[in-house]
Structure formats: C-alpha cells, structure tokens
Amino acid sequence: MSAALALGDDALVLSHRLGEWAGHAPVLEEDVALANIALDLLGQARVLLSLVGDEDELAYLREERAFRNLQLVEQPNGDFAHTIARQLYFSTYQLLLYGQLAAGDGELAPLAAKAVKEVTYHRDHAEQWTLRLGDGTAESHERMTRGLEALWRFTGEMFRPAAGLETLDVDWAALRASWTESVTEVLKRATLSVPTGPDSGAWTAGAGRQGLHTEPFGRMLAEMQHLHRSHPGASW
Amino acid sequence: MTAEAAPETTAGVAEAFEAAFDAAVAAEERIEPRDWMPDAYRASLVRQMAQHAHSEIIGMQPEANWITRAPSLRRKAILMAKVQDEAGHGLYLYSAAETLGTSRDELLDKLHSGRQKYSSIFNYPTLTWADVGAIGWLVDGAAITNQVPLCRCSYGPYARAMVRICKEESFHQRQGYELLLALSKGTPAQHAMAQDAVDRWWWPSLMMFGPPDDASAHSAQSMAWRIKRHSNDELRQRFVDIAVPQAESLGLTLPDPDLRWNEERGKHDFGAIDWTEFQQVLKGNGPCNEQRLTQRRQAHDEGAWVRDAAAAYAAKHTAPRAHGGEAAA
C-alpha cells in the first residue's frame, strides 16, 4: 500500500463524481468548470496510479475493499451546495497537502508541484461558490449549511496518516491546523458557521484509507467498471 | 409638399441602407453587430445560431451518458474534455447570438418551451460505448462538413465563432474515428459493437444536412445572404464521399445496399433517406426528444436557486455606483 495509491484513488473517485454533473449544472459556465476540475483530477489520478501499476487495472479491476480513497470524495453529489461543500473541504486539503509535498524532495514532489497549480484553481472555485451560496439568498445559505454539516463527519479522516501515508514527508498536525484556519476563514466571510459535530464516523478510524467505504461507493464502482469488466483483456 | 417628401426620404434612406448591405454581402465583406441589416437577416441568423447553440448543449447529453462508464481512463479523459468543449461551444454561440440583440436567457427559455429547435440527431440514444465513437466520427463529421463553410459566413461574429469551433470539432472527430478503429480491430465482440453503432448512426447523420433542396424552407434566402454557401444536398453528397473510404479503412460497412461509386458523376450514389422518420423526430416524436428536453429543463429549474444566490451575492458585494442614496439598500 503506497501513498500514491491512496492519493490517486482520491483524485480518481472525486473526478468520477464530478463527471456525473456533466449536462446537469445550474449554468453552462459550471458545466465547463466542473468538467475542467474533473479532468484535472483524472490527470492527477492517472499519474499517481501509474506510479503504482497499470492505471486501468487499478481503476477497473479492484473491488471496493481494495480502494484507499477518503470516504469524503466518494460521497454522492447531492445538490450543488453539497458538491461545493465537498469541493471546499477536499480542495483545501489537497492544496495544503500538495503544497507540503511540493516543498519536500520525496517521490511525489514533482507531481505535487504541477498539481498545486490546478488545485489552486479548484480551491478558488470552491471558495467563490461558498461565498455566493453562503451569503446569497436564505435558501442558498440553508442549503450550504446542510452540505457543510452533512460532510463534516468525513473531514477528520484527511488528517490521519493511515495506510502508507505515514511515509510521506508531511507535518499532519500543521496540515490540520492550516486546513481548519483556512476553512474557518472562508466560512466566516460566507456568513456560515463551522460545523460542530464529530468529524469522523463513530465506528471508523480513517476507514476509507483502509478499504472500508460507505454504501454508495460500491454502486459507483459497479457503474464505473462494468464495461471494462465485461470484456476481459480487451483494449480500448 | 413636405408631407409627401418625408416618407419618400425615409424610404430612400432605407433603400440606401439595403443597397449598401447587399453590396457588402456581395463583396464578401463581413457584417458586424453595429451595421445596418435587414430585419429578416437578423431573425434568420438568431434562429440559426440559437439552434446551433442549443444543439451543442443538448448534444452534451448523449455523450455524457457514457462518462461514468468509459472503459479506460484515457477514453474517459477524452470524453470529459469533449463534453466540456461542447459547453464551451454553446457559450461562444450564445455570445455570438447576443450581438444580434437577444439574450442567452431568452434563447434558453425558447429552447425549454420548445419554440426553438436543436439538431434532430441528438434525439437518438447512445446504447453502447461504440456510439461515442460513431458520434465522433459521423455526427461530428457531418457537423464539420456543415460548419466549415460557415467560417466564411457573412455575419462576422458567427464566422469567427465557427473558426474556433471547427478546430476543436476536427480534433473530436479524429478521436471518435480512432475510438472506432480500436474497437473494429479489437475482439470480435468489440468489432460487432462498432458495426452496430455505425448501422444505427449512419442514416440519422445523413439527416443532419436537413431536408432535400426542393423542400428546404430557408435555403434560398440563406444562400443569397451568404449565411449558407452550399445546398443541403451538396453538403450531404460531400459527406458521403468522404465517409465511404473512411468506413473502408475502419473495416466497417455502411448500412445502405444502394451505396456505390458512380463513375459518371464522380460521386457516390446512395439510397433514399426515410424523410418520414426525420419529420417525426423534428416534431418531437424521436426516441429521446422527451428525455433530452426534460433533462435540460430539470437542470435549469433545479439550478434556479444557485443562479439566484449568485445574483443576490453580486448585488450585495458589487461596489455601489456614484449616487450614494441607493447604496444603503
């Protein structure tokens, strides 16, 4: 189990979720933006998974229990606010994590340096929408609050250097502190509150990273993998 | 005297404008947004550009249908990029249409209420992965055959949008062809999948060029205005002549027993198109008309609160203009 697999799975799974938005976004500009972010993430996933093995074998032939992504990124899209809340939590994490990796001299430093440029844009997109939804109408404020609260319990997992991530040259405590500060600052400007509930599921301890996922994830994989699995050994 | 002179003068001015417009079109000059243009020219362009923009955004649906099921990460990335480009093309075309004094909101409203159309081809379903390749090769191929001449269309903003769009479309078409080639040269099951897709998409692609010349309502005027440069049947013939050798090199057949080279004409003869089916699809009775429009309306309706939020936020945070009185609100 390597860090590249865990981070590659994060990018792969979130990319897939964002791909589900294609043709369903609230405005055409968001169809472009969400597809753009999904493509960036898919590009990151392909590089990371290729460090581990064959990208397609890893994406299409592993079962649910072998995926190492965070539970946060596998959560269904929900409404636009739910998607934006997931983007805010995750892109802030990814920006800070990749920032640290890029500053080091580990195997992932060159990849992280390239990804930081993309993730900076993702983070900005999430921030701008958090502000618009939080400080927009009463309805958008309410929906954004619900999205942030529903996803809050998946955020703690990001800061546990579980399953291979302990090899990374990352200061996890500092990462968590910067993340909290950054998210708090945006939510404050957006007239939103930082959720106060527990930040991990009651039975989990970094569960996604250990291959313990939530129920919607299996269905997502079934859809993603079915065609590839239906034609064993074929090339596309 | 003066009572009679005024209308004469006005008529004279209008005639002068019309003559200048006709001369500019004849001289292959571009008409720009602030130039005078006949009302019917404006209306015809709005209709065509809106339909074109609508086709780009409805056209996202049949392909997006396969994003979550694409069989390799490389293919998935290509497909996502393509669907993203289509949204971008929709944006260019709505912007180009807005230079004629309409708005994107107004045009979308007409699409959603069925008062404006989109290309009939997108009312066919994507039933297998090979359909993504067939759309790239045939549907984008037909679109390019139609659109390349539009790069020289008399209306400047439309012509310029088409230059950008055609570059990206050509790229998508090559990728679609390459997808089909991989399937055709793959396993027997993949080859059969490719052939089935081409069998289903061939005739609808030929219908994309519109009704035959003797039944095309807008053609003559559009050609006189140099919006269109070639007739529907000319473009359809050109497309067939390009597609036939491509099908051969793909190792796939085209589902037309009457398709053969005509030495005398130097062109391919091909079978009769089922215009009844075409009319039915145009009327809303194709396989996916209801589904496509419902999804589009749904995305728009469900996104209303997001657009409202963005507008409310902008109103709160845009710096107030000079007169302080309104700022308090």
Side-chain angles (χ1 to χ4, degrees):
Chain A
M1 207 345 258
S2 71
L5 187 65
L7 300 183
D9 283 350
D10 284 350
L12 177 70
V13 170
L14 185 56
S15 166
H16 186 96
R17 284 298 189 206
L18 292 175
E20 293 172 356
W21 270 105
H24 297 269
V27 277
L28 217 37
E29 284 83 351
E30 279 308 295
D31 269 313
V32 176
L34 295 173
N36 199 323
I37 295 168
L39 259 177
D40 286 346
L41 290 168
L42 185 54
Q44 293 167 17
R46 295 180 66 192
V47 175
L48 285 160
L49 295 180
S50 297
L51 293 174
V52 181
D54 179 87
E55 63 177 35
D56 285 338
E57 256 179 65
L58 289 165
Y60 291 100
L61 300 175
R62 275 182 299 158
E63 293 188 357
E64 188 177 335
R65 292 281 283 110
F67 273 81
R68 299 295 181 220
N69 55 282
L70 297 164
Q71 289 184 348
L72 174 67
V73 295
E74 74 201 32
Q75 295 312 304
N77 289 332
D79 66 8
F80 189 71
H82 197 87
T83 289
I84 292 300
R86 193 182 60 197
Q87 285 302 110
L88 180 72
Y89 289 157
F90 184 73
S91 63
T92 304
Y93 165 75
Q94 222 190 4
L95 182 60
L96 294 167
L97 176 66
Y98 283 2
Q100 284 203 30
L101 292 174
D105 55 3
E107 187 193 18
L108 301 181
L111 165 111
K114 179 175 181 285
V116 159
K117 290 178 196 155
E118 295 169 348
V119 177
T120 301
Y121 160 73
H122 305 172
R123 172 61 173 61
D124 181 55
H125 175 264
E127 176 177 330
Q128 297 304 322
W129 273 112
T130 301
L131 294 172
R132 290 188 198 113
L133 299 182
D135 195 15
T137 63
E139 181 183 6
S140 68
H141 182 91
E142 169 61 25
R143 285 179 184 256
M144 194 63 209
T145 300
R146 265 185 278 159
L148 290 163
E149 286 181 352
L151 293 167
W152 181 251
R153 69 193 184 92
F154 299 105
T155 57
E157 187 187 353
M158 296 191 284
F159 309 105
R160 291 199 195 85
L165 271 76
E166 70 278 4
T167 60
L168 292 177
D169 184 18
V170 168
D171 181 341
W172 295 96
L175 183 68
R176 178 168 206 146
S178 318
W179 184 89
T180 306
E181 187 187 349
S182 175
V183 167
T184 303
E185 188 267 335
V186 174
L187 296 187
K188 193 176 162 194
R189 276 198 290 135
T191 71
L192 293 158
S193 314
V194 179
T196 50
D199 69 3
S200 67
W203 63 285
T204 67
R209 291 277 187 248
Q210 283 144 26
L212 290 170
H213 294 278
T214 56
E215 285 184 349
F217 184 55
R219 196 164 287 108
M220 191 205 101
L221 283 188
E223 182 171 344
M224 182 171 109
Q225 298 181 336
H226 99 272
L227 178 59
H228 187 98
R229 284 180 181 273
S230 301
H231 296 264
S235 27
W236 301 93
Chain B
M1 288 291 282
T2 45
E4 280 174 22
E8 267 175 32
T9 309
T10 310
V13 168
E15 267 169 38
F17 274 130
E18 185 119 29
F21 172 84
D22 289 343
V25 167
E28 296 283 337
E29 284 170 23
R30 294 280 165 270
I31 307 301
E32 296 297 339
R34 298 179 69 173
D35 294 341
W36 184 90
M37 62 188 83
D39 290 344
Y41 175 84
R42 186 183 297 273
S44 182
L45 273 170
V46 168
R47 181 186 55 78
Q48 185 174 341
M49 290 161 77
Q51 178 167 333
H52 196 158
H54 299 333
S55 300
E56 295 284 356
I57 62 166
I58 296 282
M60 293 165 73
Q61 291 182 32
E63 296 181 285
N65 183 37
W66 280 92
I67 285 180
T68 54
R69 293 176 289 168
S72 75
L73 297 187
R74 175 170 166 267
R75 293 292 178 197
K76 186 170 179 162
I78 290 171
L79 185 56
M80 274 186 185
K82 183 179 180 190
V83 174
Q84 183 191 10
D85 280 350
E86 282 159 2
H89 296 171
L91 283 171
Y92 299 161
L93 287 162
Y94 285 122
S95 300
E98 284 182 338
T99 64
L100 291 165
T102 181
S103 71
R104 195 205 304 182
D105 285 346
E106 193 180 337
L107 297 177
L108 279 175
D109 190 47
K110 287 182 176 159
L111 168 66
H112 297 154
S113 60
R115 283 175 292 154
Q116 283 179 344
K117 296 194 181 307
Y118 55 88
S119 178
S120 61
I121 193 82
F122 300 119
N123 293 312
Y124 290 86
T126 47
L127 302 177
T128 73
W129 169 251
D131 290 25
V132 172
I135 289 182
W137 174 44
L138 294 173
V139 175
D140 293 350
I144 292 164
T145 308
N146 258 330
Q147 290 170 8
V148 165
L150 285 174
C151 297
R152 293 184 294 125
C153 147
S154 60
Y155 189 57
Y158 195 19
R160 289 188 289 273
M162 290 322 302
V163 171
R164 295 180 66 178
I165 290 172
C166 283
K167 281 182 194 160
E168 293 178 350
E169 293 287 5
S170 307
F171 191 59
H172 298 158
Q173 198 215 0
R174 282 203 297 279
Q175 288 172 327
Y177 181 88
E178 195 252 335
L179 189 164
L180 277 185
L181 189 65
L183 294 180
S184 179
K185 299 204 180 311
T187 65
Q190 286 177 306
H191 181 90
M193 192 192 284
Q195 183 62 60
D196 168 63
V198 169
D199 289 348
R200 282 182 289 110
W201 287 93
W202 172 250
W203 292 108
S205 299
L206 293 190
M207 294 177 196
M208 285 175 70
F209 296 92
D213 292 349
D214 52 19
S216 176
H218 305 288
S219 276
Q221 184 61 72
S222 285
M223 287 177 77
W225 278 329
R226 310 227 172 158
I227 297 173
K228 257 177 106 122
R229 322 288 304 211
H230 310 279
S231 79
N232 294 351
D233 287 334
E234 275 169 34
L235 291 169
R236 188 163 18 240
Q237 179 73 56
R238 186 181 295 180
F239 174 71
V240 170
D241 290 334
I242 293 169
V244 169
Q246 290 179 343
E248 277 167 24
S249 56
L250 278 171
L252 298 171
T253 59
L254 296 171
D256 180 0
D258 297 327
L259 183 66
R260 63 179 56 85
W261 177 251
N262 181 325
E263 192 67 51
E264 211 171 296
R265 292 201 307 131
K267 294 178 167 85
H268 291 85
D269 292 337
F270 54 96
I273 289 171
D274 182 351
W275 293 114
T276 313
E277 175 179 321
F278 178 72
Q279 291 304 335
Q280 283 300 320
V281 176
L282 277 191
K283 274 187 208 149
N285 301 322
C288 299
N289 297 61
E290 186 63 35
Q291 175 190 332
R292 299 286 185 244
L293 215 47
T294 299
Q295 181 183 320
R296 181 87 266 296
R297 285 195 201 111
Q298 215 166 14
H300 190 76
D301 293 348
E302 286 174 6
W305 68 270
V306 177
R307 297 189 298 277
D308 290 347
Y313 180 82
K316 284 184 214 178
H317 294 274
T318 304
R321 295 192 187 162
H323 305 292
E326 289 169 60

